[in-house]
Amino acid sequence: MDYIDYYKLLGIPKTATASEIKAAYRKLARKHHPDLNPNDKDAIKRFQQINEANEVLSDATKRKKYDQYGKDWQHAEEFEQSRQQQRQSAQNQQQQYGGGQNMGDFSDFFSSMFGNMSGGGGNRPQAKYRGEDFSAEVRLQLIEAYVTHKQTLTVNGNQIRITIPAGIENGQTIKIKGHGGIGTHGGPNGDLYITFALLPHPRIKRLEDNLYTTVDLDLYMAMLGGEMTIETLSGKVKLHVAAETQNGTKIKLKGKGFPVYKQEGQFGDFYVTYNLKTPTHLTQRQKELFTELSKTS
Amino acid sequence: MEKTYLIALNEFCKNHNIEISFIESLQNTGLIETSKLHDAGFIEVEQLMQLEMYVRFHYDLDINLEGIETIMHLLSRIESQHKEIVKLKNRLMLYELNE
């Protein structure tokens, strides 16, 4: 457990007055407040540190104890114990500080120095505070995002079963209400924000609700036409290749693309681009035939 | 018929130890919408999170209404830009994977 220099954290001298502490806290809180830094996980941590520093330095009793024993907090513990023995009971101390619920917001250093004290600084000490919002990332294969399915997640030790709707987008965030941090003083729980990261498919690419793939087409089928089978995310599809198909030709399979998010029964399209493969390692006979063919044009 | 859950503003102010005039100012600037029922003010539960954020801005961070309006404008710009970045990244992936 490391000593935390609260003065340094707030950027103020040890001689700072109460108003200077308040001004320094507000300045930093405005910079690092999680409400002002969405999607910044570090902001929550930085804000908690600033809050903790303010909690100690803005309270005369805590500040006195911190100033006296700050660097030697272990000795403060011993000192407090002997002082408590001199007192008749520890109950008075409990009344002096009051109980608290949000110890989770403070560092081990703070807890060891000040014990089970309440946060609740500022102008609204008994206000109900909403719990912290949690963020999590879930990685999905493209095929998993193709169908609506349930998944069990473990967030902060709790298991949550969620339904992931088909058509979820890479980078999309959904909110699970009330599954964030526990509220303070009876305030509501925070929310859980889950961001989905879709892993790339080896052959099929997705752009919004459409899917794209490239298939190799041999020269003979390109010239004479024919049938070939390709794989889509919903199964195999037979393609009719037109005669004299050019390299780079793109065809559309309507409704064979990705499901539209929360629009049941609606799908994007599947685009197939033909990549013409000319034959290699020709036999003598094939060369003769190509030569003969070339003379016909 | 869809139910609308309302929270009494008096109750909200009591719980948060704030003045009702602050909520009236938010209403006047268009940051929140309140409704009246039998002379009592209410807010829809969907706006609660937003209102609590304004309370934190004003009472914890000492930001005035003009500041809150500016912040909300910038936050909404950040959010739309974030969405645009995600969309562009997804589009870029289509070309990167073709390489």
Side-chain angles (χ1 to χ4, degrees), chain A residues 72-90:
Chain A
D72 300 309
W73 53 270
Q74 292 100 329
H75 298 299
E77 189 76 10
E78 290 163 19
F79 179 81
E80 285 298 321
Q81 276 172 10
S82 63
R83 202 169 65 169
Q84 273 182 38
Q85 280 165 5
Q86 284 168 13
R87 287 182 183 173
Q88 289 198 334
S89 75

PDB file of all heavy atoms in Angstrom, chain A residues 72-90:
ATOM      1  N   ASP A  72       3.382   8.210   7.724  1.00  0.00           N
ATOM      2  CA  ASP A  72       3.557   7.077   8.650  1.00  0.00           C
ATOM      3  C   ASP A  72       2.200   6.554   9.080  1.00  0.00           C
ATOM      4  O   ASP A  72       1.904   6.450  10.261  1.00  0.00           O
ATOM      5  CB  ASP A  72       4.355   7.540   9.884  1.00  0.00           C
ATOM      6  CG  ASP A  72       5.712   8.046   9.481  1.00  0.00           C
ATOM      7  OD1 ASP A  72       6.409   7.316   8.752  1.00  0.00           O
ATOM      8  OD2 ASP A  72       6.060   9.169   9.868  1.00  0.00           O
ATOM      9  N   TRP A  73       1.395   6.231   8.128  1.00  0.00           N
ATOM     10  CA  TRP A  73       0.027   5.840   8.438  1.00  0.00           C
ATOM     11  C   TRP A  73      -0.046   4.597   9.308  1.00  0.00           C
ATOM     12  O   TRP A  73      -0.958   4.434  10.084  1.00  0.00           O
ATOM     13  CB  TRP A  73      -0.788   5.661   7.158  1.00  0.00           C
ATOM     14  CG  TRP A  73      -0.146   4.735   6.184  1.00  0.00           C
ATOM     15  CD1 TRP A  73       0.726   5.067   5.213  1.00  0.00           C
ATOM     16  CD2 TRP A  73      -0.300   3.332   6.131  1.00  0.00           C
ATOM     17  NE1 TRP A  73       1.138   3.961   4.547  1.00  0.00           N
ATOM     18  CE2 TRP A  73       0.517   2.885   5.076  1.00  0.00           C
ATOM     19  CE3 TRP A  73      -1.044   2.394   6.853  1.00  0.00           C
ATOM     20  CZ2 TRP A  73       0.606   1.546   4.748  1.00  0.00           C
ATOM     21  CZ3 TRP A  73      -0.948   1.061   6.507  1.00  0.00           C
ATOM     22  CH2 TRP A  73      -0.129   0.650   5.470  1.00  0.00           C
ATOM     23  N   GLN A  74       1.019   3.738   9.221  1.00  0.00           N
ATOM     24  CA  GLN A  74       0.991   2.533  10.061  1.00  0.00           C
ATOM     25  C   GLN A  74       1.024   2.927  11.534  1.00  0.00           C
ATOM     26  O   GLN A  74       0.343   2.358  12.363  1.00  0.00           O
ATOM     27  CB  GLN A  74       2.187   1.621   9.777  1.00  0.00           C
ATOM     28  CG  GLN A  74       2.151   0.974   8.419  1.00  0.00           C
ATOM     29  CD  GLN A  74       3.042   1.688   7.417  1.00  0.00           C
ATOM     30  OE1 GLN A  74       3.217   2.906   7.519  1.00  0.00           O
ATOM     31  NE2 GLN A  74       3.581   0.957   6.483  1.00  0.00           N
ATOM     32  N   HIS A  75       1.834   3.958  11.825  1.00  0.00           N
ATOM     33  CA  HIS A  75       1.940   4.420  13.214  1.00  0.00           C
ATOM     34  C   HIS A  75       0.637   5.083  13.659  1.00  0.00           C
ATOM     35  O   HIS A  75       0.286   5.034  14.827  1.00  0.00           O
ATOM     36  CB  HIS A  75       3.107   5.392  13.353  1.00  0.00           C
ATOM     37  CG  HIS A  75       4.410   4.747  13.018  1.00  0.00           C
ATOM     38  ND1 HIS A  75       4.899   3.676  13.722  1.00  0.00           N
ATOM     39  CD2 HIS A  75       5.292   4.988  12.021  1.00  0.00           C
ATOM     40  CE1 HIS A  75       6.045   3.296  13.163  1.00  0.00           C
ATOM     41  NE2 HIS A  75       6.302   4.069  12.131  1.00  0.00           N
ATOM     42  N   ALA A  76      -0.026   5.689  12.702  1.00  0.00           N
ATOM     43  CA  ALA A  76      -1.313   6.329  13.017  1.00  0.00           C
ATOM     44  C   ALA A  76      -2.285   5.297  13.546  1.00  0.00           C
ATOM     45  O   ALA A  76      -3.020   5.535  14.506  1.00  0.00           O
ATOM     46  CB  ALA A  76      -1.884   6.989  11.769  1.00  0.00           C
ATOM     47  N   GLU A  77      -2.211   4.117  12.943  1.00  0.00           N
ATOM     48  CA  GLU A  77      -3.082   3.014  13.370  1.00  0.00           C
ATOM     49  C   GLU A  77      -2.799   2.651  14.830  1.00  0.00           C
ATOM     50  O   GLU A  77      -3.706   2.553  15.648  1.00  0.00           O
ATOM     51  CB  GLU A  77      -2.806   1.809  12.454  1.00  0.00           C
ATOM     52  CG  GLU A  77      -3.761   0.663  12.620  1.00  0.00           C
ATOM     53  CD  GLU A  77      -5.100   0.939  11.958  1.00  0.00           C
ATOM     54  OE1 GLU A  77      -5.231   1.933  11.220  1.00  0.00           O
ATOM     55  OE2 GLU A  77      -6.003   0.147  12.232  1.00  0.00           O
ATOM     56  N   GLU A  78      -1.500   2.507  15.156  1.00  0.00           N
ATOM     57  CA  GLU A  78      -1.110   2.157  16.539  1.00  0.00           C
ATOM     58  C   GLU A  78      -1.554   3.257  17.502  1.00  0.00           C
ATOM     59  O   GLU A  78      -2.085   3.006  18.575  1.00  0.00           O
ATOM     60  CB  GLU A  78       0.417   2.002  16.632  1.00  0.00           C
ATOM     61  CG  GLU A  78       0.934   0.771  15.900  1.00  0.00           C
ATOM     62  CD  GLU A  78       2.429   0.851  15.640  1.00  0.00           C
ATOM     63  OE1 GLU A  78       3.113   1.645  16.324  1.00  0.00           O
ATOM     64  OE2 GLU A  78       2.905   0.141  14.736  1.00  0.00           O
ATOM     65  N   PHE A  79      -1.309   4.499  17.056  1.00  0.00           N
ATOM     66  CA  PHE A  79      -1.647   5.635  17.901  1.00  0.00           C
ATOM     67  C   PHE A  79      -3.148   5.675  18.176  1.00  0.00           C
ATOM     68  O   PHE A  79      -3.576   5.853  19.313  1.00  0.00           O
ATOM     69  CB  PHE A  79      -1.204   6.930  17.203  1.00  0.00           C
ATOM     70  CG  PHE A  79      -1.523   8.174  17.988  1.00  0.00           C
ATOM     71  CD1 PHE A  79      -0.699   8.595  19.029  1.00  0.00           C
ATOM     72  CD2 PHE A  79      -2.656   8.918  17.703  1.00  0.00           C
ATOM     73  CE1 PHE A  79      -1.006   9.733  19.756  1.00  0.00           C
ATOM     74  CE2 PHE A  79      -2.969  10.051  18.417  1.00  0.00           C
ATOM     75  CZ  PHE A  79      -2.139  10.464  19.448  1.00  0.00           C
ATOM     76  N   GLU A  80      -3.898   5.440  17.105  1.00  0.00           N
ATOM     77  CA  GLU A  80      -5.350   5.467  17.250  1.00  0.00           C
ATOM     78  C   GLU A  80      -5.822   4.382  18.214  1.00  0.00           C
ATOM     79  O   GLU A  80      -6.726   4.599  19.014  1.00  0.00           O
ATOM     80  CB  GLU A  80      -6.026   5.285  15.886  1.00  0.00           C
ATOM     81  CG  GLU A  80      -5.970   6.510  14.996  1.00  0.00           C
ATOM     82  CD  GLU A  80      -6.673   7.714  15.583  1.00  0.00           C
ATOM     83  OE1 GLU A  80      -7.740   7.546  16.189  1.00  0.00           O
ATOM     84  OE2 GLU A  80      -6.135   8.832  15.459  1.00  0.00           O
ATOM     85  N   GLN A  81      -5.173   3.219  18.136  1.00  0.00           N
ATOM     86  CA  GLN A  81      -5.583   2.110  19.009  1.00  0.00           C
ATOM     87  C   GLN A  81      -5.380   2.465  20.482  1.00  0.00           C
ATOM     88  O   GLN A  81      -6.257   2.264  21.314  1.00  0.00           O
ATOM     89  CB  GLN A  81      -4.788   0.849  18.662  1.00  0.00           C
ATOM     90  CG  GLN A  81      -5.421   0.090  17.508  1.00  0.00           C
ATOM     91  CD  GLN A  81      -4.565  -1.051  17.027  1.00  0.00           C
ATOM     92  OE1 GLN A  81      -3.565  -1.401  17.672  1.00  0.00           O
ATOM     93  NE2 GLN A  81      -4.946  -1.622  15.902  1.00  0.00           N
ATOM     94  N   SER A  82      -4.184   3.052  20.771  1.00  0.00           N
ATOM     95  CA  SER A  82      -3.920   3.389  22.178  1.00  0.00           C
ATOM     96  C   SER A  82      -4.849   4.501  22.643  1.00  0.00           C
ATOM     97  O   SER A  82      -5.285   4.532  23.786  1.00  0.00           O
ATOM     98  CB  SER A  82      -2.455   3.783  22.363  1.00  0.00           C
ATOM     99  OG  SER A  82      -2.193   4.941  21.622  1.00  0.00           O
ATOM    100  N   ARG A  83      -5.151   5.402  21.708  1.00  0.00           N
ATOM    101  CA  ARG A  83      -6.035   6.507  22.071  1.00  0.00           C
ATOM    102  C   ARG A  83      -7.454   5.989  22.335  1.00  0.00           C
ATOM    103  O   ARG A  83      -8.128   6.434  23.248  1.00  0.00           O
ATOM    104  CB  ARG A  83      -6.049   7.549  20.952  1.00  0.00           C
ATOM    105  CG  ARG A  83      -6.480   8.914  21.444  1.00  0.00           C
ATOM    106  CD  ARG A  83      -6.250   9.969  20.431  1.00  0.00           C
ATOM    107  NE  ARG A  83      -7.088   9.772  19.255  1.00  0.00           N
ATOM    108  CZ  ARG A  83      -7.226  10.687  18.289  1.00  0.00           C
ATOM    109  NH1 ARG A  83      -6.569  11.830  18.360  1.00  0.00           N
ATOM    110  NH2 ARG A  83      -7.993  10.464  17.258  1.00  0.00           N
ATOM    111  N   GLN A  84      -7.813   5.016  21.551  1.00  0.00           N
ATOM    112  CA  GLN A  84      -9.159   4.450  21.723  1.00  0.00           C
ATOM    113  C   GLN A  84      -9.288   3.739  23.065  1.00  0.00           C
ATOM    114  O   GLN A  84     -10.340   3.751  23.684  1.00  0.00           O
ATOM    115  CB  GLN A  84      -9.467   3.472  20.595  1.00  0.00           C
ATOM    116  CG  GLN A  84     -10.053   4.176  19.387  1.00  0.00           C
ATOM    117  CD  GLN A  84     -10.410   3.212  18.285  1.00  0.00           C
ATOM    118  OE1 GLN A  84     -10.880   2.120  18.557  1.00  0.00           O
ATOM    119  NE2 GLN A  84     -10.174   3.621  17.058  1.00  0.00           N
ATOM    120  N   GLN A  85      -8.164   3.095  23.494  1.00  0.00           N
ATOM    121  CA  GLN A  85      -8.200   2.404  24.777  1.00  0.00           C
ATOM    122  C   GLN A  85      -8.427   3.388  25.916  1.00  0.00           C
ATOM    123  O   GLN A  85      -9.063   3.092  26.913  1.00  0.00           O
ATOM    124  CB  GLN A  85      -6.894   1.639  24.993  1.00  0.00           C
ATOM    125  CG  GLN A  85      -6.877   0.323  24.230  1.00  0.00           C
ATOM    126  CD  GLN A  85      -5.500  -0.273  24.130  1.00  0.00           C
ATOM    127  OE1 GLN A  85      -4.545   0.239  24.719  1.00  0.00           O
ATOM    128  NE2 GLN A  85      -5.390  -1.347  23.383  1.00  0.00           N
ATOM    129  N   GLN A  86      -7.829   4.578  25.717  1.00  0.00           N
ATOM    130  CA  GLN A  86      -7.993   5.599  26.747  1.00  0.00           C
ATOM    131  C   GLN A  86      -9.446   6.080  26.793  1.00  0.00           C
ATOM    132  O   GLN A  86      -9.958   6.449  27.820  1.00  0.00           O
ATOM    133  CB  GLN A  86      -7.062   6.777  26.465  1.00  0.00           C
ATOM    134  CG  GLN A  86      -5.618   6.476  26.826  1.00  0.00           C
ATOM    135  CD  GLN A  86      -4.684   7.542  26.272  1.00  0.00           C
ATOM    136  OE1 GLN A  86      -5.124   8.603  25.840  1.00  0.00           O
ATOM    137  NE2 GLN A  86      -3.403   7.262  26.296  1.00  0.00           N
ATOM    138  N   ARG A  87     -10.045   6.052  25.670  1.00  0.00           N
ATOM    139  CA  ARG A  87     -11.450   6.471  25.644  1.00  0.00           C
ATOM    140  C   ARG A  87     -12.318   5.357  26.211  1.00  0.00           C
ATOM    141  O   ARG A  87     -11.905   4.210  26.303  1.00  0.00           O
ATOM    142  CB  ARG A  87     -11.895   6.776  24.222  1.00  0.00           C
ATOM    143  CG  ARG A  87     -11.323   8.068  23.710  1.00  0.00           C
ATOM    144  CD  ARG A  87     -11.859   8.281  22.330  1.00  0.00           C
ATOM    145  NE  ARG A  87     -11.278   9.494  21.747  1.00  0.00           N
ATOM    146  CZ  ARG A  87     -11.467   9.858  20.502  1.00  0.00           C
ATOM    147  NH1 ARG A  87     -12.195   9.116  19.705  1.00  0.00           N
ATOM    148  NH2 ARG A  87     -10.943  10.967  20.047  1.00  0.00           N
ATOM    149  N   GLN A  88     -13.508   5.672  26.540  1.00  0.00           N
ATOM    150  CA  GLN A  88     -14.370   4.647  27.140  1.00  0.00           C
ATOM    151  C   GLN A  88     -14.875   3.646  26.121  1.00  0.00           C
ATOM    152  O   GLN A  88     -15.017   2.478  26.393  1.00  0.00           O
ATOM    153  CB  GLN A  88     -15.537   5.324  27.851  1.00  0.00           C
ATOM    154  CG  GLN A  88     -15.047   6.021  29.094  1.00  0.00           C
ATOM    155  CD  GLN A  88     -16.170   6.318  30.040  1.00  0.00           C
ATOM    156  OE1 GLN A  88     -17.297   6.453  29.603  1.00  0.00           O
ATOM    157  NE2 GLN A  88     -15.853   6.415  31.313  1.00  0.00           N
ATOM    158  N   SER A  89     -15.203   4.104  24.949  1.00  0.00           N
ATOM    159  CA  SER A  89     -15.639   3.165  23.932  1.00  0.00           C
ATOM    160  C   SER A  89     -15.362   3.726  22.545  1.00  0.00           C
ATOM    161  O   SER A  89     -15.122   4.915  22.378  1.00  0.00           O
ATOM    162  CB  SER A  89     -17.136   2.880  24.065  1.00  0.00           C
ATOM    163  OG  SER A  89     -17.839   3.991  23.576  1.00  0.00           O
ATOM    164  N   ALA A  90     -15.407   2.830  21.605  1.00  0.00           N
ATOM    165  CA  ALA A  90     -15.161   3.249  20.224  1.00  0.00           C
ATOM    166  C   ALA A  90     -16.421   3.839  19.596  1.00  0.00           C
ATOM    167  O   ALA A  90     -16.395   4.339  18.495  1.00  0.00           O
ATOM    168  CB  ALA A  90     -14.699   2.062  19.412  1.00  0.00           C
TER     169      ALA A  90
END
